[in-house]
Amino acid sequence: MPYTKEHKNRSRDRIIASAITLFSSRGFDNVTLDAVMAHAGMTRGAFYNHFNSKQDLYAEAMNTAALQSPMASDAPKGVELVEHLQCLVENYLSKAHLQDAINPCLMAFMVTDVANQEPEVRKTYTRIFKGFSKRLTEMMDGDDTHHKQHAQALAALMIGGVAVCRTFTDAKLVDEVLAACRQLAATVIEVD
């Protein structure tokens, strides 16, 4: 008896969730399809019912993580966009976000890994970065070149700040760099 569409969707979602977890912690080259499928509680044979290749899964993991990110959320009712942006930036540039193994930010956690991947994977990352920057521009309540440039700089600051802090072994330095990034981000937001 064939599986239902709902069952297939749940299986696909489990594979993607496992891929997000494993790729963000180990990188593309250090994760096998067997590892992803074992993490998802499935056999390798089931993989090809959902994806054509490991690169396809990698790209889909980035897409899904971006859509699930708090950065993709709308401001709560009664909260101004800029206030919502300030809160999101504070949370993004925090130790809690840096250490979040359940919902890692693939933009920061995979930045150097993606640079070494096939053009299609890099195109996916580029598209997600553009969407991230566009979202920041919208929250800055502008769409002109000035706002776009500030949003791109803010996105790079946020992603880079988290990516760099992931490499440190000095907890005090992590705190200092995250605080410096938050402070600079606040000035970028206030300028607009």
PDB file of all heavy atoms in Angstrom, residues 143-155:
ATOM      1  N   ASP A 143      12.722  51.807   1.223  1.00  0.00           N
ATOM      2  CA  ASP A 143      13.057  50.975   0.083  1.00  0.00           C
ATOM      3  C   ASP A 143      14.004  51.679  -0.889  1.00  0.00           C
ATOM      4  O   ASP A 143      14.241  51.217  -1.980  1.00  0.00           O
ATOM      5  CB  ASP A 143      11.803  50.506  -0.645  1.00  0.00           C
ATOM      6  CG  ASP A 143      10.970  51.664  -1.166  1.00  0.00           C
ATOM      7  OD1 ASP A 143      11.379  52.826  -1.017  1.00  0.00           O
ATOM      8  OD2 ASP A 143       9.901  51.389  -1.737  1.00  0.00           O
ATOM      9  N   ASP A 144      14.553  52.782  -0.458  1.00  0.00           N
ATOM     10  CA  ASP A 144      15.487  53.496  -1.324  1.00  0.00           C
ATOM     11  C   ASP A 144      16.888  52.895  -1.193  1.00  0.00           C
ATOM     12  O   ASP A 144      17.134  51.991  -0.398  1.00  0.00           O
ATOM     13  CB  ASP A 144      15.495  54.988  -1.004  1.00  0.00           C
ATOM     14  CG  ASP A 144      15.863  55.280   0.454  1.00  0.00           C
ATOM     15  OD1 ASP A 144      16.368  54.379   1.150  1.00  0.00           O
ATOM     16  OD2 ASP A 144      15.644  56.417   0.897  1.00  0.00           O
ATOM     17  N   THR A 145      17.806  53.401  -1.997  1.00  0.00           N
ATOM     18  CA  THR A 145      19.177  52.889  -2.010  1.00  0.00           C
ATOM     19  C   THR A 145      19.842  53.017  -0.645  1.00  0.00           C
ATOM     20  O   THR A 145      20.547  52.112  -0.196  1.00  0.00           O
ATOM     21  CB  THR A 145      20.009  53.636  -3.073  1.00  0.00           C
ATOM     22  OG1 THR A 145      19.373  53.452  -4.342  1.00  0.00           O
ATOM     23  CG2 THR A 145      21.426  53.110  -3.134  1.00  0.00           C
ATOM     24  N   HIS A 146      19.586  54.122   0.034  1.00  0.00           N
ATOM     25  CA  HIS A 146      20.165  54.359   1.365  1.00  0.00           C
ATOM     26  C   HIS A 146      19.756  53.250   2.339  1.00  0.00           C
ATOM     27  O   HIS A 146      20.603  52.668   3.019  1.00  0.00           O
ATOM     28  CB  HIS A 146      19.699  55.737   1.859  1.00  0.00           C
ATOM     29  CG  HIS A 146      20.038  56.031   3.273  1.00  0.00           C
ATOM     30  ND1 HIS A 146      21.312  56.379   3.680  1.00  0.00           N
ATOM     31  CD2 HIS A 146      19.270  56.028   4.396  1.00  0.00           C
ATOM     32  CE1 HIS A 146      21.305  56.577   4.990  1.00  0.00           C
ATOM     33  NE2 HIS A 146      20.090  56.372   5.441  1.00  0.00           N
ATOM     34  N   HIS A 147      18.471  52.954   2.407  1.00  0.00           N
ATOM     35  CA  HIS A 147      17.990  51.918   3.314  1.00  0.00           C
ATOM     36  C   HIS A 147      18.516  50.537   2.899  1.00  0.00           C
ATOM     37  O   HIS A 147      18.864  49.721   3.749  1.00  0.00           O
ATOM     38  CB  HIS A 147      16.463  51.897   3.342  1.00  0.00           C
ATOM     39  CG  HIS A 147      15.875  53.028   4.111  1.00  0.00           C
ATOM     40  ND1 HIS A 147      15.501  54.203   3.524  1.00  0.00           N
ATOM     41  CD2 HIS A 147      15.619  53.166   5.434  1.00  0.00           C
ATOM     42  CE1 HIS A 147      15.026  55.014   4.443  1.00  0.00           C
ATOM     43  NE2 HIS A 147      15.092  54.420   5.614  1.00  0.00           N
ATOM     44  N   LYS A 148      18.551  50.297   1.602  1.00  0.00           N
ATOM     45  CA  LYS A 148      19.035  49.007   1.105  1.00  0.00           C
ATOM     46  C   LYS A 148      20.502  48.795   1.504  1.00  0.00           C
ATOM     47  O   LYS A 148      20.878  47.714   1.963  1.00  0.00           O
ATOM     48  CB  LYS A 148      18.883  48.942  -0.413  1.00  0.00           C
ATOM     49  CG  LYS A 148      19.317  47.629  -1.016  1.00  0.00           C
ATOM     50  CD  LYS A 148      19.097  47.617  -2.527  1.00  0.00           C
ATOM     51  CE  LYS A 148      19.606  46.326  -3.124  1.00  0.00           C
ATOM     52  NZ  LYS A 148      19.419  46.304  -4.584  1.00  0.00           N
ATOM     53  N   GLN A 149      21.330  49.825   1.357  1.00  0.00           N
ATOM     54  CA  GLN A 149      22.737  49.710   1.731  1.00  0.00           C
ATOM     55  C   GLN A 149      22.902  49.471   3.227  1.00  0.00           C
ATOM     56  O   GLN A 149      23.706  48.635   3.645  1.00  0.00           O
ATOM     57  CB  GLN A 149      23.504  50.970   1.318  1.00  0.00           C
ATOM     58  CG  GLN A 149      23.686  51.102  -0.169  1.00  0.00           C
ATOM     59  CD  GLN A 149      24.296  52.440  -0.557  1.00  0.00           C
ATOM     60  OE1 GLN A 149      24.227  53.419   0.175  1.00  0.00           O
ATOM     61  NE2 GLN A 149      24.888  52.475  -1.745  1.00  0.00           N
ATOM     62  N   HIS A 150      22.129  50.195   4.028  1.00  0.00           N
ATOM     63  CA  HIS A 150      22.203  49.982   5.477  1.00  0.00           C
ATOM     64  C   HIS A 150      21.738  48.578   5.847  1.00  0.00           C
ATOM     65  O   HIS A 150      22.318  47.942   6.731  1.00  0.00           O
ATOM     66  CB  HIS A 150      21.378  51.043   6.222  1.00  0.00           C
ATOM     67  CG  HIS A 150      22.123  52.319   6.400  1.00  0.00           C
ATOM     68  ND1 HIS A 150      21.790  53.460   5.732  1.00  0.00           N
ATOM     69  CD2 HIS A 150      23.190  52.626   7.161  1.00  0.00           C
ATOM     70  CE1 HIS A 150      22.622  54.429   6.069  1.00  0.00           C
ATOM     71  NE2 HIS A 150      23.490  53.945   6.928  1.00  0.00           N
ATOM     72  N   ALA A 151      20.708  48.091   5.183  1.00  0.00           N
ATOM     73  CA  ALA A 151      20.203  46.746   5.470  1.00  0.00           C
ATOM     74  C   ALA A 151      21.232  45.686   5.082  1.00  0.00           C
ATOM     75  O   ALA A 151      21.439  44.717   5.819  1.00  0.00           O
ATOM     76  CB  ALA A 151      18.889  46.513   4.736  1.00  0.00           C
ATOM     77  N   GLN A 152      21.889  45.863   3.937  1.00  0.00           N
ATOM     78  CA  GLN A 152      22.912  44.897   3.531  1.00  0.00           C
ATOM     79  C   GLN A 152      24.088  44.900   4.513  1.00  0.00           C
ATOM     80  O   GLN A 152      24.603  43.845   4.873  1.00  0.00           O
ATOM     81  CB  GLN A 152      23.395  45.201   2.112  1.00  0.00           C
ATOM     82  CG  GLN A 152      22.362  44.861   1.061  1.00  0.00           C
ATOM     83  CD  GLN A 152      22.755  45.331  -0.328  1.00  0.00           C
ATOM     84  OE1 GLN A 152      23.538  46.264  -0.497  1.00  0.00           O
ATOM     85  NE2 GLN A 152      22.202  44.672  -1.334  1.00  0.00           N
ATOM     86  N   ALA A 153      24.483  46.090   4.947  1.00  0.00           N
ATOM     87  CA  ALA A 153      25.574  46.180   5.932  1.00  0.00           C
ATOM     88  C   ALA A 153      25.154  45.545   7.256  1.00  0.00           C
ATOM     89  O   ALA A 153      25.936  44.835   7.892  1.00  0.00           O
ATOM     90  CB  ALA A 153      25.975  47.642   6.143  1.00  0.00           C
ATOM     91  N   LEU A 154      23.915  45.799   7.671  1.00  0.00           N
ATOM     92  CA  LEU A 154      23.408  45.224   8.917  1.00  0.00           C
ATOM     93  C   LEU A 154      23.354  43.700   8.817  1.00  0.00           C
ATOM     94  O   LEU A 154      23.759  42.992   9.747  1.00  0.00           O
ATOM     95  CB  LEU A 154      22.028  45.793   9.241  1.00  0.00           C
ATOM     96  CG  LEU A 154      21.367  45.301  10.524  1.00  0.00           C
ATOM     97  CD1 LEU A 154      22.229  45.592  11.744  1.00  0.00           C
ATOM     98  CD2 LEU A 154      19.984  45.954  10.674  1.00  0.00           C
ATOM     99  N   ALA A 155      22.886  43.173   7.684  1.00  0.00           N
ATOM    100  CA  ALA A 155      22.831  41.721   7.493  1.00  0.00           C
ATOM    101  C   ALA A 155      24.226  41.116   7.573  1.00  0.00           C
ATOM    102  O   ALA A 155      24.442  40.098   8.244  1.00  0.00           O
ATOM    103  CB  ALA A 155      22.183  41.391   6.145  1.00  0.00           C
TER     104      ALA A 155
END
